[in-house]
Amino acid sequence: MEWTGARYADGPTVEVPVWIDAPPQRVWELVSDIALMPRTSPELHSVEWLDGRRGPALGARFVGRSRHEALGEWATTSHVVRYEPPRVFAWAVEDPELPSSLWRFELEERDGGTLLREWMQLGPGRSGLSYAIDRMPDKEQKIVFVRMREFETNMGATLDVIKKLAEGGPDEVEA
């Protein structure tokens, strides 16, 4: 990720692609299984569907519990805002109308396999990062840049695990 000088209000984004030697349906099974995500992420430690749900659907909600050395521990409620099997799975964190972040997996059949893209946008709603910016407004651009770079690194780790699993790798992949 290169320095852009983005501020929180700019709605900065990160996208990480990976080509996977597996059909979209196999990749879809993995990206739409939120129970797998804590195994792929250094920050996300647990997830669970809410409202008696057992799987994804448009409007479904899930809670995620995360931990970061500098930010502490927190829980967020996410709302599935796009669910188009086997192409798009997206969710808004906290308020779906004014989310603290948006996350999306997009799958595209390509070259006999699947091009998988993980994308995220910070804001426009306030998040835990907003409090750090409130305390150090003169460092906002650096705070945003560092956090977006962390997201990019973590997304790469997530996609690496999904790729290994989809291509028939070990069932117990560590993040």
Side-chain angles (χ1 to χ4, degrees):
M1 166 167 267
E2 293 185 26
W3 174 265
T4 63
R7 297 184 178 278
Y8 193 91
D10 296 332
T13 63
V14 175
E15 182 176 83
V16 179
V18 65
W19 184 83
I20 300 173
D21 188 12
Q25 189 58 43
R26 172 63 183 140
V27 178
W28 178 259
E29 292 168 6
L30 297 167
V31 300
S32 63
D33 178 4
I34 65 165
L36 172 67
M37 294 305 126
R39 286 180 38 203
T40 71
S41 170
E43 279 187 33
L44 183 63
H45 290 273
S46 70
V47 291
E48 74 180 90
W49 290 108
L50 298 173
D51 310 317
R53 300 278 329 165
R54 294 182 190 259
L58 189 60
R61 298 180 325 132
F62 60 92
V63 65
R65 291 173 184 78
S66 301
R67 183 173 40 245
H68 184 282
E69 184 178 310
L71 302 173
E73 295 184 16
W74 67 95
T76 57
T77 300
S78 293
H79 306 256
V80 176
V81 294
R82 281 186 70 190
Y83 184 72
E84 302 165 19
R87 297 182 329 101
V88 181
F89 179 42
W91 60 95
V93 179
E94 295 302 342
D95 182 349
E97 300 300 316
L98 195 63
S100 60
S101 61
L102 291 166
W103 292 81
R104 180 176 66 228
F105 285 111
E106 286 188 84
L107 295 78
E108 177 184 332
E109 190 168 359
R110 184 173 293 173
D111 301 324
T114 304
L115 176 61
L116 174 61
R117 294 183 189 94
E118 185 175 8
W119 174 92
M120 73 81 57
Q121 176 183 337
L122 197 55
R126 288 179 60 82
S127 72
L129 202 60
S130 302
Y131 300 105
I133 293 167
D134 290 348
R135 289 190 309 272
M136 299 174 281
D138 56 318
K139 296 183 178 176
E140 178 178 3
Q141 291 170 302
K142 182 176 182 182
I143 292 167
V144 168
F145 175 73
V146 168
R147 189 63 174 136
M148 297 306 285
R149 194 169 53 192
E150 285 178 337
F151 283 136
E152 182 181 49
T153 298
N154 292 347
M155 291 160 69
T158 293
L159 294 178
D160 285 347
V161 172
I162 291 169
K163 178 178 175 68
K164 286 175 185 164
L165 291 172
E167 291 178 349
D171 288 336
E172 295 301 320
V173 176
E174 293 294 323

